[in-house]
Amino acid sequence: RRKLDMVSALAAATESPQVPPEARERILVFLKLYRSAVAAIDTTRPDLYVHRLIERLGLRRQQLFAAQADVVERLRALARFGELAAAHVVRSPQATAREFARSIAAVAEWGLSEREQPQLLGADAVQVLALEMAGGLEVDHVFVLGLSAALQGTGTLDCEPVPDELLHEQLPADDEPLRQSRLRQRLYVAITRARERAVLVHAGAVGRGASSKPLPAIEAARRAVDGEWLELTEDLFGPAETLHATYRLLRDELMDGTKRAAGRLAELRLDTDLDISHAVVRYLELLKLAALIARDEGSHGQGLADALRDINARIEQAVTADQREIFVSSPLDEYLLDAERDVRHRARVIAARDEPSLERFLPMRGGGVLLSASDIEIYRACPLRYKFARVFRIPQEPTLHQRFGIAVHQVLERFHAQGSDAAEPQPAGGSLTDLLTLLETSWRRGGFGDSDEERQLHQKAVSSLTRYHERAQSDQARPVWFERQFSFKLGAHLVRGRVDRVDRLPSGEYELIDYKTGRPKSAEQLAGDVQLSLYAIAAREAWGLDANRGAYYYLLDDEKVAIAGDSERSDWIRGVALNVAEGIRAQEFEPTPSARACKLCDYRLVCPAAER
């Protein structure tokens, strides 16, 4: 859904006069390629689709003339990708390019190897392979998957038969008895590869939930041994699986990082000591994960947090000061603790598995929820409104006052950008005439009309911007940044946004300022404010800046309302943000209707809980 929103936004951008002609041309080329790809993804064979896509993108031609050292590796990767698509067609001849993409995404997500050939000797791990590849393999346990009757017959090629004149020998007819015979042969191979046990598995439901039965040959084998089907339901992965997966990932990264560190060591760089410290810490983190896995397998009965504390204490005693600083600042512990879901949350998610999941539509990033101050405020006001706005992304037409606020913000952003070339930011980016000229330009581009209300708003904008310019000239505070963006991790979640203005006060402190075009609120009314409190945390986490002072600047009334921050408020807003993120990830979107909130909600017409 997010990709569709991006495409829709790009299509709409081509109609905007603010988009340069060169950018509009690039957007049109992208849209043409995107629509062509979408039209073919459900009808074209995976191998043909991948080949055409690489050719359309011109990757091979571009890479041939590139000067980077990894050109050959990239070309090999492209060729390997085409081979994977061809292999997928062999396994599933009627599969579409979309199904191949899902398969590749699943392999990448679970960290599986792209190699399909089994390791016949010395393999001490789970191997996933096609039945045809199991000829000489002997293992302890065999799990044969995909034995549903609903999938029977999908292994036939949907293509024209090869004329007999082109064949060197007469081939048997590809009829149903022959296919059943081949199936029995493959099952015989799979079952006889197991030393201890063989488990035959079929899905109870396929497609959109339609029930499915096992293949007749499998059912006959079950009756022959007088066995019974054991119905199993899917369970969520927990901390133990996370430990093993993280260990494998970190092990691979360590091997690659060791080569890079060795190369830098050979160059005798000035920061060689730091490179060595980072490489040592990566090894220590791998050692930590191995210790956690050993504790888990040894059933010590110790929680993950306690185990981390004990292991970290021992490792920190054996490292240098630089290595200790890198080790302590690593986000690995935070990642592992977040993966340890509480029992109540897991039970609630499992119990709700029969409900349609919205997981693929949630704004996720790197395993956590993508948040902003407005996201938090919307969810706290009504989780169902957040679902409509951020998950379903139901479009809403901005009101006149919202368009007015956006226009004023853009005017101030462009005005101060005029002075961005100076070594030190200026109180204002230009003269009052420049400021009002920007307002007139933005007003015309914003599509404002000539109604009484719009004329009144225009007059208010002129008056407020004039007072803003006068205040900027006489204000003792020194603007340092305008429209400064931030992004920082809060647990497993990512918080991002931008601050309208950051001032340095005569006392040396910093003040975060957010512009408002609505009616002023008192400090008491803003006691539960989220935005500026979150900005203060962002200043520390993303910029390394202590800015506990914040203020809302109400432009139309030329009034600043200050909000002081402290450690207690910082802890409060962290807790609020984490609770909101966990609620979103758990898909808790129950409405909280109220007469005032529902009256101002953009989705009251489609909301079943709206108070009318």
Side-chain angles (χ1 to χ4, degrees), residues 158-172:
D158 185 14
C159 58
E160 293 293 332
V162 178
D164 294 338
E165 292 79 5
L166 300 179
L167 300 175
H168 295 288
E169 57 182 344
Q170 188 68 27
L171 298 180

Side-chain angles (χ1 to χ4, degrees), residues 2 65 131 141 150 322 471 514 567 570 584:
R2 291 193 294 269
F65 296 98
L131 286 175
H141 308 280
D322 291 340
R471 178 192 281 265
D514 187 78
S567 59
S570 177
I584 295 171

Side-chain angles (χ1 to χ4, degrees), residues 252-449:
D252 296 338
E253 290 182 354
L254 176 64
M255 298 305 297
D256 294 338
T258 301
K259 297 179 181 178
R260 291 194 299 268
R264 294 175 180 176
L265 183 62
E267 296 173 3
L268 300 178
R269 298 168 47 152
L270 296 177
D271 56 350
T272 300
D273 293 343
L274 184 60
D275 293 334
I276 295 176
S277 296
H278 277 282
V280 171
V281 170
R282 295 290 83 78
Y283 170 76
L284 294 175
E285 288 182 333
L286 188 67
L287 183 64
K288 178 202 296 188
L289 284 169
L292 291 172
I293 293 173
R295 282 177 175 248
D296 182 70
E297 294 176 349
S299 300
H300 288 267
Q302 188 180 31
L304 181 61
D306 294 335
L308 279 172
R309 184 169 55 252
D310 294 344
I311 295 173
N312 287 340
R314 297 191 179 189
I315 293 178
E316 290 176 19
Q317 293 176 358
V319 298
T320 65
D322 291 340
Q323 293 168 1
R324 183 182 297 106
E325 182 179 355
I326 300 172
F327 183 77
V328 172
S329 62
S330 171
L332 178 61
D333 289 3
E334 190 175 353
Y335 169 77
L336 295 176
L337 289 171
D338 182 73
E340 191 178 31
R341 300 180 179 93
D342 62 277
V343 177
R344 181 178 59 86
H345 175 68
R346 292 185 61 185
R348 183 171 62 248
V349 173
I350 294 174
R353 297 184 76 85
D354 292 336
E355 297 295 328
S357 175
L358 300 174
E359 184 175 358
R360 60 181 296 186
F361 301 107
L362 296 180
M364 306 294 290
R365 181 69 59 83
V369 179
L370 188 63
L371 284 177
S372 66
S374 61
D375 292 337
I376 296 173
E377 290 177 339
I378 293 175
Y379 187 89
R380 292 183 71 206
C382 179
L384 184 58
R385 181 185 175 190
Y386 175 90
K387 179 181 178 181
F388 288 149
R390 298 294 194 264
V391 180
F392 289 164
R393 294 184 177 271
I394 301 176
Q396 58 189 45
E397 184 178 359
T399 65
L400 176 61
H401 290 276
Q402 289 173 338
R403 291 166 50 209
F404 172 73
I406 294 172
V408 173
H409 274 71
Q410 290 177 345
V411 168
L412 292 176
E413 179 183 0
R414 293 166 182 167
F415 177 67
H416 288 295
Q418 295 178 359
S420 60
D421 294 335
E424 189 74 17
Q426 303 301 314
S431 64
L432 177 59
T433 303
D434 295 333
L435 181 58
L436 297 181
T437 300
L438 287 173
L439 173 63
E440 297 302 325
T441 303
S442 180
W443 198 262
R444 291 194 303 271
R445 290 179 175 176
F448 292 95

Side-chain angles (χ1 to χ4, degrees), residues 553-573:
Y553 188 175
Y554 292 94
L555 296 167
L556 299 186
D557 295 86
D558 192 26
E559 181 179 344
K560 284 178 64 176
V561 179
I563 297 179
D566 51 32
S567 59
E568 182 177 350
R569 190 173 183 85
S570 177
D571 294 339
W572 169 78
I573 190 59

Side-chain angles (χ1 to χ4, degrees), residues 83-235:
E83 294 173 2
L84 290 174
H88 190 83
V89 173
V90 173
R91 293 194 304 271
S92 302
Q94 295 186 357
T96 63
R98 186 184 299 276
E99 293 169 345
F100 169 66
R102 290 172 180 167
S103 173
I104 288 294
V107 169
E109 180 178 358
W110 291 104
L112 299 177
S113 172
E114 65 177 20
R115 295 177 65 254
E116 297 178 0
Q117 292 76 15
Q119 300 178 11
L120 302 182
L121 299 175
D124 188 18
V126 175
Q127 298 190 56
V128 180
L129 61 151
L131 286 175
E132 295 83 354
M133 306 298 297
L137 188 63
E138 186 175 340
V139 296
D140 292 334
H141 308 280
V142 171
F143 293 81
V144 186
L145 311 180
L147 302 178
S148 299
L151 302 178
Q152 186 176 10
T154 59
T156 58
L157 289 172
D158 185 14
C159 58
E160 293 293 332
V162 178
D164 294 338
E165 292 79 5
L166 300 179
L167 300 175
H168 295 288
E169 57 182 344
Q170 188 68 27
L171 298 180
D174 188 15
D175 52 10
E176 186 61 26
L178 180 61
R179 286 195 290 269
Q180 292 296 330
S181 175
R182 290 174 180 172
L183 175 62
R184 286 191 293 269
Q185 292 175 3
R186 294 178 180 178
L187 289 176
Y188 171 79
V189 172
I191 294 174
T192 55
R193 299 309 92 185
R195 298 190 187 99
E196 299 182 11
R197 65 168 179 166
V199 180
L200 307 182
V201 183
H202 80 93
V206 296
R208 297 180 177 269
S211 61
S212 175
K213 296 181 180 181
L215 286 168
I218 306 303
E219 187 62 23
R222 181 194 64 80
R223 290 194 298 267
V225 298
D226 197 21
E228 295 291 337
W229 287 110
L230 177 62
E231 184 175 353
L232 298 177
T233 57
E234 181 185 5
D235 196 3

